[in-house]
């Protein structure tokens, strides 16, 4: 797979960024996707049911999202987004009908992730940007997904900004080193070796127990 990746055209900077990280992303895509889904389902769902069940409209919204969440977890992003033939709502309809509720907010995250997983990166961006969260797990995961969408649409400045923001917001061994690695790869492609070295060293020194730290030396040596 690495041989195929390195054959990307030199003139396509976005393709180069993706080719550098494709081996990692491909290898761990399922784990990362499942982790984000689990975070939203467990953390987000728990918050919604515990804090909003007393309000009738919020209760209706939280009950309506259950089937869409199930489709998302199963990887059926079309039904998760648009609903099914049994009349169960998808995330898009939930956002429209329950605007202003916590359920609609988290449906924005789900919708953006569903579109990103389907390859509709540009369409995913407004949904991911609409999500409003400040916790240490869901919010950084959404920022990371937003960074990936920007990278895939060629907006590398926005991509690296979101990866750095996500890494700081998460400050953990799962999301932070992944985001810092992506940021470093983009910095390299932009010719900014100093910033690339900075984030690679942060992985080495601060997130030394992470998966990314295992082979971070090769990235450090490349930009020194």
């Amino acid at each position: 797979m690495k041989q195929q990746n390195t054959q990307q055209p030199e003139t396509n900077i976005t393709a180069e960024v993706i080719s550098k990280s494709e081996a990692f992303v491909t290898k761990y895509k399922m784990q990362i996707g499942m982790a984000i889904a689990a975070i939203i389902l467990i953390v987000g769902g728990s918050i919604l049911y515990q804090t909003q069940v007393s309000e009738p409209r919020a209760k209706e919204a939280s009950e309506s999202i259950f089937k869409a969440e199930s489709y998302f977890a199963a990887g059926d992003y079309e039904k998760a987004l648009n609903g099914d033939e049994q009349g169960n709502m998808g995330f898009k309809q939930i956002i429209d009908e329950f605007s202003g509720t916590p359920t609609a907010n988290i449906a924005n995250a789900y919708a953006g992730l569903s579109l990103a997983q389907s390859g509709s990166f540009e369409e995913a961006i407004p949904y991911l940007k609409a999500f409003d969260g400040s916790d240490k797990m869901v919010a950084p995961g959404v920022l990371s997904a937003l960074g990936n969408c920007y990278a895939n649409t060629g907006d590398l400045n926005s991509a690296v900004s979101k990866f750095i923001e996500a890494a700081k917001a998460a400050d953990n061994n799962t999301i932070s080193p992944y985001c810092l690695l992506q940021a470093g790869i983009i910095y390299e492609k932009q010719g900014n070796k100093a910033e690339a070295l900075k984030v690679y060293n942060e992985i080495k020194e601060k997130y030394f127990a992470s998966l990314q730290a295992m082979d971070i030396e090769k990235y450090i040596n490349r930009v020194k």
Side-chain angles (χ1 to χ4, degrees), residues 172-187:
N172 62 48
N173 277 309
T174 303
I175 296 175
S176 298
Y178 166 77
C179 291
L180 290 172
L181 182 63
Q182 303 311 305
I185 291 167
I186 295 176
Y187 278 135

Side-chain angles (χ1 to χ4, degrees), residues 8-163:
Q8 298 291 335
E10 287 294 320
T11 56
N12 191 332
I13 191 168
T14 303
E16 288 182 352
V17 172
I18 296 170
S19 72
K20 283 287 186 180
S21 59
E22 186 175 357
F24 173 84
V25 174
T26 300
K27 186 173 182 180
Y28 298 103
K29 181 178 180 181
M30 181 176 292
Q31 291 92 325
I32 292 170
M34 288 176 65
I36 293 173
I39 288 164
I40 294 176
L41 286 169
I42 297 171
V43 180
S46 175
I47 293 170
L48 288 174
Y49 284 106
Q50 289 177 21
T51 64
Q52 300 299 326
V53 72
S54 61
E55 299 179 22
R57 185 165 180 264
K59 179 181 179 182
E60 182 183 356
S62 63
E63 290 173 349
S64 297
I65 202 173
F66 176 76
K67 192 62 179 180
E69 286 176 331
S70 299
Y71 284 130
F72 178 87
D76 191 340
Y77 302 117
E78 173 63 28
K79 288 182 178 178
L81 282 165
N82 301 307
D84 58 25
E85 57 274 10
Q86 282 78 45
N88 292 302
M89 294 184 190
F91 297 127
K92 289 183 177 180
Q93 186 179 355
I94 289 167
I95 291 166
D96 290 338
E97 294 202 11
F98 299 103
S99 176
T101 66
T103 301
N105 181 44
I106 208 163
N108 276 308
Y110 272 124
L113 290 168
S114 298
L115 288 162
Q117 291 284 2
S118 303
S120 300
F121 302 109
E122 193 165 347
E123 189 181 352
I125 289 172
Y127 288 103
L128 295 172
K129 288 177 67 177
F131 173 75
D132 182 19
S134 59
D135 62 274
K136 286 287 188 178
M137 294 301 289
V138 181
V142 172
L143 287 170
S144 173
L146 188 54
N148 275 312
C149 288
Y150 279 129
N152 277 281
T153 57
D155 187 351
L156 300 184
N157 288 331
S158 294
V160 75
S161 175
K162 291 303 173 184
F163 282 130

